[in-house]
Amino acid sequence: MKFITRFNLSISILLLFITIFNINMPITSAKEQKNTLTFSNGTKVSTLFFPYRDKVNQKIGTERSLQGMTIDAKGNYYLMYALGDKTTYGYIYKYNKKFKLVKISKKLRVGHGQAMDYHKGYLYQIVDVVGSKNYILQRIDANTLKVIKKWTIPAEIHPNVLAMESDTTAIVVSKTTSSNVLGEGYELNRLHIGENFRYTIRHPREKLRVDGLIGTTKGKEIQGFERTKDRYYILSNGEYTSFKHDGSDQQTVSLQTTREPEGLLFNSKGKMLVLFNKVNEVFIEQ
């Protein structure tokens, strides 16, 4: 009887210790149970893994907010976290195909941090610092997570997201609102890069315009962009739309959730992945 009493007392002390020290640990519990979402077109996605998220009482100004993700051919995942007010600096977290965190970059100048894509050993990322006359396209070594090359983006466009078309061409997306002479819509521009110059080259005749904006929130924010061999995908809150490379055959799909998405992409097997923030969670198509 004394043994049982002492055992129960030990368990109570242990639980109290865990409760106290859990204050300084990342959120866990039932919120990390796997989930399934069904989109309006019948596509089902389920939880793949839960990447890093801040502690409950994270100090103001040091918060790391999940903003985007890309994946390489080996199944490594690269997730971008914007720091503090989400306007200037951030970190890249690299996970292997078993979802183990293998590397965190040093603090990088990334702007909002949403525009990032992987291509042949490198990450390409747009530094979109608010108030900057020119945005910057930078190349980051996918192994060291260090910036190795930068190009200036023409001042007349301020893209939100990008996808690499080839070694020398990035497709970037900008949003126009009702104040624009053309009205609301998306403008897709090709930015050409080279090793011997420090700026990107844009040919206006290569621009693709798609009229109208998607999204269930007032700002119609662009939350992600993906390019496949025959279609483009643009993600917003509550919806994504896709269309052929010439802008035709547009199809819009409801995510049927109020959670805020932070990226949409396809892996090497053609499976769709969708990233959500807050309870940071990566979903994969079933």
Side-chain angles (χ1 to χ4, degrees):
M1 191 72 173
K2 288 183 179 180
F3 172 77
I4 295 175
T5 301
R6 288 174 182 174
F7 177 77
N8 289 340
L9 179 60
S10 298
I11 291 296
S12 298
I13 293 172
L14 178 60
L15 290 173
L16 178 61
F17 178 84
I18 291 173
T19 301
I20 291 172
F21 282 89
N22 233 7
I23 294 173
N24 293 314
M25 294 174 63
I27 304 170
T28 54
S29 78
K31 291 184 179 180
E32 289 195 349
Q33 293 178 356
K34 291 189 175 183
N35 299 294
T36 297
L37 298 172
T38 302
F39 301 158
S40 63
N41 65 348
T43 298
K44 288 188 177 182
V45 295
S46 296
T47 305
L48 182 63
F49 74 105
F50 295 93
Y52 167 85
R53 66 179 181 275
D54 284 340
K55 295 177 291 186
V56 175
N57 61 338
Q58 190 75 22
K59 184 179 178 181
I60 295 175
T62 68
E63 307 97 325
R64 299 186 182 190
S65 304
L66 187 57
Q67 297 299 324
M69 181 179 76
T70 188
I71 184 173
D72 65 24
K74 295 181 180 179
N76 295 307
Y77 301 85
Y78 304 85
L79 287 84
M80 177 66 77
Y81 289 82
L83 179 64
D85 64 0
K86 300 177 282 189
T87 63
T88 309
Y89 297 103
Y91 297 87
I92 298 172
Y93 282 53
K94 182 178 181 178
Y95 288 81
N96 65 19
K97 62 182 179 181
K98 295 183 178 180
F99 320 125
K100 178 183 178 181
L101 180 62
V102 293
K103 192 172 185 63
I104 302 174
S105 73
K106 293 183 178 181
K107 186 167 73 172
L108 302 171
R109 187 177 175 86
V110 299
H112 188 56
Q114 192 169 51
M116 181 173 67
D117 193 24
Y118 174 88
H119 184 73
K120 293 185 178 179
Y122 301 104
L123 302 174
Y124 291 84
Q125 193 266 328
I126 293 177
V127 184
D128 54 348
V129 177
V130 176
S132 298
K133 180 180 179 181
N134 294 92
Y135 286 178
I136 300 295
L137 173 61
Q138 58 187 9
R139 178 194 287 161
I140 300 168
D141 186 291
N143 292 315
T144 65
L145 301 184
K146 294 181 179 180
V147 177
I148 56 176
K149 179 74 176 177
K150 295 181 180 182
W151 297 270
T152 301
I153 295 174
E156 61 268 23
I157 62 170
H158 290 83
N160 302 98
V161 286
L162 91 160
M164 295 302 295
E165 183 179 63
S166 68
D167 296 349
T168 58
T169 305
I171 308 295
V172 299
V173 184
S174 303
K175 181 180 70 175
T176 62
T177 64
S178 57
S179 62
N180 187 282
V181 65
L182 297 176
E184 294 184 342
Y186 301 105
E187 294 186 345
L188 284 69
N189 283 280
R190 280 185 169 82
L191 298 182
H192 302 284
I193 58 177
E195 299 304 313
N196 298 322
F197 44 92
R198 300 178 181 178
Y199 52 86
T200 61
I201 297 174
R202 167 181 170 265
H203 299 298
R205 68 177 181 275
E206 293 183 322
K207 181 174 69 176
L208 171 66
R209 179 173 174 83
V210 177
D211 291 328
L213 299 174
I214 63 162
T216 57
T217 52
K218 184 178 179 180
K220 307 290 185 182
E221 296 85 355
I222 299 178
Q223 300 286 23
F225 177 57
E226 175 69 309
R227 178 189 182 277
T228 64
K229 64 180 181 179
D230 56 357
R231 299 185 75 82
Y232 293 122
Y233 291 77
I234 295 177
L235 176 69
S236 186
N237 293 328
E239 297 178 323
Y240 73 82
T241 192
S242 71
F243 43 88
K244 292 183 178 180
H245 291 174
D246 63 1
S248 65
D249 189 32
Q250 184 173 0
Q251 302 173 21
T252 299
V253 175
S254 170
L255 302 180
Q256 301 194 140
T257 178
T258 58
R259 292 183 63 180
E260 183 179 5
E262 295 291 355
L264 181 154
L265 58 150
F266 291 87
N267 64 16
S268 59
K269 297 180 180 180
K271 294 287 188 179
M272 176 186 287
L273 289 91
V274 184
L275 175 66
F276 291 90
N277 68 11
K278 306 303 182 185
V279 179
N280 298 340
E281 189 171 3
V282 178
F283 286 76
I284 189 169
E285 181 181 354
Q286 299 304 297

